[in-house]
Amino acid sequence: MKHKPSLTIVGAGLAGALLAALLARRGWQVDVFERRGDPRVHGFAGGRSINLALAERGLHALRAARADAAVLDHAVMMRGRMVHFDDGTTQLQRYGRDDSEVIWSVSRGELNMVLLDAAEAAGARLHFDRRLHAVDFDANSARFADDRDGVLHEHAFNALLGADGAGSALRASMGERTVLGERTVSLGHGYKELEIPPAADGGFRIEPNALHIWPRGGYMCIALPNDERTFTVTLFLPSQGDPGFDTVRDGADAVRLFERDFADALPMIPRLAEDFDANPTGVLATLYLDRWHLGGQAVLLGDAAHAMVPFHGQGMNCAFEDCVSLATHLEGAEDLESAFAAFEAERRPNALAIQQMALENYIEMRDRVDDADYLLQRALERQLAERHPGRFIPRYAMVTFHRMPYATAFARGQVQRELLVEATRGRYSLDGLDLEWLDAEVLRRLEPVAAHAPAGP
Ligand SMILES: Cc1cc2nc3c(=O)[nH]c(=O)nc-3n(C[C@H](O)[C@H](O)[C@H](O)COP(=O)(O)OP(=O)(O)OC[C@H]3O[C@@H](n4cnc5c(N)ncnc54)[C@H](O)[C@@H]3O)c2cc1C
């Protein structure tokens, strides 16, 4: 775009702050409005350590904002899943081939603060305690409320970029103006965050360089390490059932559940009952929209456009990819409307693909990681990946360590899965497998992947 109109971002969470940094670095004038106060002044809301898994897609976007080093400084490397079986034994299942293929546990609060600093340093203007209240698309004017005193502030805009999360107020305003085709599909499961504090000597209580999983069929617990030697534990349960959040109602119920199903974790969570009572129960849902933009006046990205269940650890990574893509389309397009349309056309099919893979991964994590047929398929997958590097790449790796479009990873993953199921059907081991036939099938069914094919233009 030759002339760069000033842009207004709604939400200074993970995507909003990164997008502001990327755009301001490219010379756009950017105003960002955030409902909450400045976390760098007030501390992060809630005060609890909540962490996220950062993977290659997210890291790539952070590199573009020159924020990767500051983020990785406080990150903890996770090499694989540490599965905690019912009988108390554990097994590390590596994610990648070596330490070049790992994911990183990062603190949501710290990450947000690093990105706010990056946005401000690049020249973006940040306005805190400004909650989007209403939009007048005829007058190109938005109203933001300061919830501390209830005062409303008018702001004239050229275009609104909606990074205001799953409950987006901008989306609601756009929906009053046009049909967005909004559908929210609840997973029927919720979550509760708990904590494993450091050991008496100040160190980690369990292996720090892993994402811990206690799979239990219809439900599970996970734990991600924090820089300060704690782990954030997340208990995922159905909303209804035994166990479910309707039967596990309070801290005492939760202790009984852990005694029965997560006995090895229980002694490591001394504040289990208190935290269960004090922390909110999160809900999990997938948000689908047919349209992400309103002409050249407004566009949605991140959770506001495509909230997903967290089981692939990709919601933020995908939101960060959105930021790079939107910044690139804004730069290249003739006008705002064509930039938003091109962004939506590129990203929407990919969001749909990762939303689906995230749903599938819940079943894999809670129910499959300890199954014999699953483990056999994984073993064969590793063999084929070694025999056909650059062609047969496990789906988890395509999503996590590569930047090919999510839709490509999804499609290739389906072909690979069919092959694995066919080859291992009725088998208990890989002995005697017809590898010649398998090699020929891999070559026939899968084209080579271009090394680190970028996700965006
Ligand atoms: C339990 C759980 C675990 C997860 N784990 C991972 C993981 O490991 N890896 C991963 O990649 N993703 C993970 N995610 C997903 C990730 O948290 C989201 O995808 C990511 O936060 C989306 O970023 P966002 O900026 O779009 O939205 P948000 O981070 O929700 O930010 C929205 C911002 O907008 C502000 N806002 C809201 N309404 C208004 C308004 N009306 N006016 C102004 N500002 C407003 C909010 O205060 C907030 O700052 C997880 C999610 C959950 C629930």
Side-chain angles (χ1 to χ4, degrees):
M1 227 174 280
K2 286 199 191 76
H3 160 69
K4 289 184 165 154
S6 64
L7 298 171
T8 302
I9 298 177
V10 185
L14 300 180
L18 177 63
L19 181 62
L22 292 175
L23 290 174
R25 287 180 65 87
R26 295 175 186 213
W28 295 80
Q29 191 191 316
V30 183
D31 283 282
V32 191
F33 290 83
E34 165 59 44
R35 170 180 71 177
R36 297 167 307 176
D38 187 343
R40 296 166 303 175
V41 179
H42 304 291
F44 210 74
R48 291 182 286 137
S49 293
I50 309 280
N51 45 31
L52 298 146
L54 173 69
E56 175 55 25
R57 293 167 196 269
L59 257 176
H60 178 73
L62 292 175
R63 283 182 206 118
R66 304 275 185 275
D68 52 316
V71 172
L72 286 181
D73 226 21
H74 296 282
V76 184
M77 181 202 278
M78 298 187 289
R79 293 193 169 96
R81 306 170 162 149
M82 183 71 82
V83 181
H84 295 248
F85 298 100
D86 272 332
D87 62 5
T89 57
T90 57
Q91 182 194 42
L92 179 70
Q93 298 176 355
R94 253 194 179 274
Y95 286 134
R97 287 170 304 190
D98 52 39
D99 280 359
S100 67
E101 294 188 335
V102 296
I103 53 176
W104 301 90
S105 178
V106 296
S107 146
R108 180 187 285 270
E110 265 177 30
L111 175 58
N112 204 173
M113 291 192 265
V114 166
L115 293 176
L116 291 172
D117 281 344
E120 217 159 46
R125 289 195 301 234
L126 309 182
H127 310 269
F128 292 97
D129 293 300
R130 293 287 183 274
R131 176 176 54 80
L132 180 67
H133 171 72
V135 185
D136 182 341
F137 285 108
D138 291 325
N140 272 34
S141 174
R143 274 187 175 179
F144 293 92
D146 184 335
D147 289 327
R148 294 166 304 176
D149 54 18
V151 172
L152 292 174
H153 300 262
E154 290 286 337
H155 174 76
F157 65 85
N158 293 307
L160 296 172
L161 315 183
D164 51 345
S168 171
L170 178 58
R171 191 176 69 233
S173 296
M174 290 164 67
E176 286 167 15
R177 190 77 179 192
T178 186
V179 179
L180 295 176
E182 178 172 339
R183 298 170 313 285
T184 297
V185 181
S186 164
L187 183 66
H189 290 236
Y191 68 95
K192 185 77 90 172
E193 277 149 346
L194 306 165
E195 190 186 71
I196 297 176
D201 65 1
F204 285 102
R205 287 210 189 202
I206 42 177
E207 166 60 45
N209 295 119
L211 187 155
H212 294 261
I213 309 186
W214 288 258
R216 294 299 181 260
Y219 53 101
M220 68 173 183
C221 245
I222 65 168
L224 273 72
N226 293 307
D227 195 27
E228 69 264 29
R229 288 164 172 61
T230 60
F231 286 84
T232 304
V233 178
T234 312
L235 169 66
F236 293 96
L237 289 182
S239 309
Q240 294 178 333
D242 179 20
F245 280 110
D246 63 335
T247 50
V248 183
R249 273 182 293 239
D250 58 21
D253 290 341
V255 169
R256 275 191 291 277
L257 171 68
F258 271 72
E259 280 168 352
R260 191 186 76 185
D261 290 339
F262 305 108
D264 60 331
L266 180 61
M268 298 189 291
I269 314 177
R271 288 182 47 82
L272 172 63
E274 293 90 327
D275 284 351
F276 192 94
D277 287 332
N279 296 343
T281 304
V283 290
L284 297 170
T286 309
L287 165 78
Y288 302 99
L289 295 180
D290 294 337
R291 294 189 62 186
W292 289 8
H293 74 105
L294 179 68
Q297 285 189 297
V299 67
L300 300 168
L301 69 150
D303 276 13
H306 51 66
M308 65 190 74
V309 295
F311 303 109
H312 221 306
Q314 285 289 319
M316 164 191 65
N317 287 283
C318 178
F320 283 0
E321 253 188 1
D322 286 353
C323 296
V324 175
S325 164
L326 182 55
T328 309
H329 284 298
L330 278 166
E331 205 69 20
E334 291 280 297
D335 54 38
L336 291 171
E337 177 161 5
S338 29
F340 296 168
F343 165 71
E344 178 188 312
E346 183 208 326
R347 294 300 296 164
R348 202 172 147 272
N350 290 309
L352 284 168
I354 186 59
Q355 286 178 314
Q356 178 59 27
M357 291 190 277
L359 285 164
E360 290 175 8
N361 227 38
Y362 187 27
I363 298 172
E364 175 164 330
M365 285 172 88
R366 69 178 204 219
D367 205 21
R368 299 274 291 139
V369 283
D370 51 356
D371 281 2
D373 64 332
Y374 172 84
L375 294 173
L376 195 62
Q377 285 170 22
R378 292 290 78 77
L380 178 57
E381 186 176 61
R382 276 194 300 277
Q383 269 197 26
L384 292 179
E386 265 169 39
R387 294 172 78 88
H388 302 280
R391 195 185 285 262
F392 192 108
I393 306 172
R395 188 170 92 173
Y396 183 87
M398 289 192 279
V399 168
T400 310
F401 308 127
H402 290 251
R403 289 187 293 110
M404 70 180 76
Y406 285 120
T408 305
F410 184 62
R412 295 183 71 99
Q414 271 176 322
V415 174
Q416 294 179 173
R417 184 175 296 182
E418 279 162 21
L419 205 54
L420 293 174
V421 169
E422 261 172 68
T424 56
R425 188 170 290 132
R427 289 183 167 272
Y428 298 99
S429 90
L430 300 180
D431 297 343
L433 260 188
D434 185 350
L435 281 173
E436 245 175 65
W437 171 79
L438 261 173
D439 286 342
E441 285 303 297
V442 169
L443 297 181
R444 189 173 72 78
R445 297 192 203 184
L446 292 162
E447 291 293 316
V449 167
H452 277 278

